[in-house]
């Protein structure tokens, strides 16, 4: 064996790995969240605080709405250090306006909630599908959710997002990045939605100054 062969093998292995990751990322990117904006979608004023309101769960999956709601809160804090309203404070305001957690607030209720919490934006969500499918290859979790973002000043809807993900979306190339739990799929979906919002300039990280 010549001295050149190991070097060629390393180069070939590097190219192969690069190709695999390119295909993997392309497969993940194909499932980009769908975003619909409404008049005034991009807010002109400075936005620094957010409240993630209780999610409505239409999937029948136990605690599904709470799982995704808390993941979204965590990602907002970790990714950009947003000031996010506490869950206990949100539920206190819900009781004050006589709103149940599984009910969608109307514009006037949203405006009151934002004023009492002192936040700029409100995010509501619906879990449309959530399940863990089991077949011969294992568990393949599925999530379909819809988020809506409202202006805290007037309760007007600014944009909405729909996103569908399942574990198989992340393991189509050589089983890299296997995702086989609802929490892992939900975390990935939430991160992808936030990244899409940032990419479109809808939710820009607050200033640190």
């Amino acid at each position: 064996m010549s001295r050149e062969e190991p070097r060629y093998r390393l180069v070939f292995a590097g190219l192969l790995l690069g190709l695999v990751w390119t295909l993997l990322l392309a497969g993940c990117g194909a499932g980009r969240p769908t975003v619909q904006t409404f008049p005034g979608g991009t807010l002109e004023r400075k936005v620094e605080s957010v409240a993630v309101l209780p999610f409505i769960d239409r999937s029948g999956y136990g605690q599904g709405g709470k799982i995704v709601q808390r993941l979204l809160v965590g990602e907002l804090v970790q990714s950009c250090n947003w000031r996010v309203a506490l869950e206990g404070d949100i539920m206190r305001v819900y009781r004050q306006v006589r709103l149940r957690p599984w009910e969608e607030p109307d514009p006037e209720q949203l405006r009151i909630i934002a004023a009492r919490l002192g936040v700029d934006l409100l995010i509501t969500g619906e879990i449309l599908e959530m399940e863990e499918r089991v077949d011969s290859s294992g568990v393949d979790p599925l999530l379909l959710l819809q988020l809506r973002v409202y202006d805290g000043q007037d309760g007007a809807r600014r944009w909405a997002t729909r996103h569908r993900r399942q574990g198989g979306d992340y393991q189509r190339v050589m089983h890299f990045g296997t995702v086989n739990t609802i929490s892992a799929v939900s975390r990935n979906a939430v991160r992808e939605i936030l990244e899409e919002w940032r990419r479109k300039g809808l939710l820009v990280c607050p200033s640190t100054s």
Side-chain angles (χ1 to χ4, degrees):
M1 179 185 297
S2 68
R3 293 181 180 179
E4 297 296 323
E5 287 188 25
R7 183 168 65 86
Y8 290 145
R9 288 180 180 177
L10 286 173
V11 171
F12 178 75
L15 290 172
L16 180 60
L17 183 60
L19 176 61
V20 166
W21 278 111
T22 299
L23 292 172
L24 179 63
L25 292 173
C28 292
R32 186 173 277 173
T34 302
V35 178
Q36 179 184 9
T37 57
F38 298 89
T42 303
L43 299 179
E44 298 298 329
R45 71 181 189 279
K46 192 176 183 180
V47 176
E48 293 189 338
S49 54
V50 183
V52 181
L53 304 184
F55 281 20
I56 298 171
D57 190 352
R58 305 191 188 283
S59 71
Y61 190 96
Q63 299 295 307
K66 198 168 288 291
I67 290 170
V68 182
Q69 179 194 6
R70 290 176 175 173
L71 285 171
L72 178 56
V73 168
E75 289 298 325
L76 284 167
V77 173
Q78 292 177 21
S79 63
C80 281
N81 198 30
W82 287 91
R83 182 169 66 80
V84 182
L86 298 176
E87 186 176 346
D89 292 339
I90 293 172
M91 298 314 301
R92 172 177 52 80
V93 176
Y94 262 55
R95 289 192 293 271
Q96 292 172 357
V97 299
R98 301 182 183 277
L99 190 65
R100 296 179 177 87
W102 56 87
E103 295 176 337
E104 183 80 15
D106 61 34
E108 180 60 18
Q109 290 172 324
L110 288 166
R111 188 188 62 77
I112 294 171
I113 292 169
R116 295 186 182 180
L117 293 173
V119 297
D120 302 310
L121 288 181
L122 299 162
I123 301 175
T124 68
E126 285 183 80
I127 308 301
L128 304 174
E129 290 184 59
M130 179 181 274
E131 62 177 311
E132 292 178 318
R133 300 171 172 177
V134 181
D135 55 29
S136 58
S137 61
V139 179
D140 188 21
L142 167 69
L143 172 67
L144 173 61
L145 75 159
Q146 182 167 282
L147 302 184
R148 302 182 186 91
V149 181
Y150 297 88
D151 189 337
Q153 283 191 346
D154 56 12
R157 183 166 50 174
R158 297 307 185 191
W159 69 88
T161 301
R162 189 181 181 95
H163 196 28
R164 184 184 191 276
R165 275 304 197 189
Q166 61 189 81
D169 294 340
Y170 303 97
Q171 58 189 41
R172 286 178 178 160
V173 181
M174 295 180 65
H175 297 281
F176 282 177
T178 300
V179 176
N180 55 16
T181 66
I182 279 292
S183 59
V185 166
S186 300
R187 183 177 294 107
N188 286 346
V190 164
R191 287 173 178 171
E192 289 163 358
I193 289 172
L194 291 178
E195 179 57 34
E196 187 69 5
W197 289 354
R198 283 192 288 268
R199 192 182 70 84
K200 290 181 175 293
L202 296 172
L203 192 65
V204 181
C205 292
S207 170
T208 56
S209 59

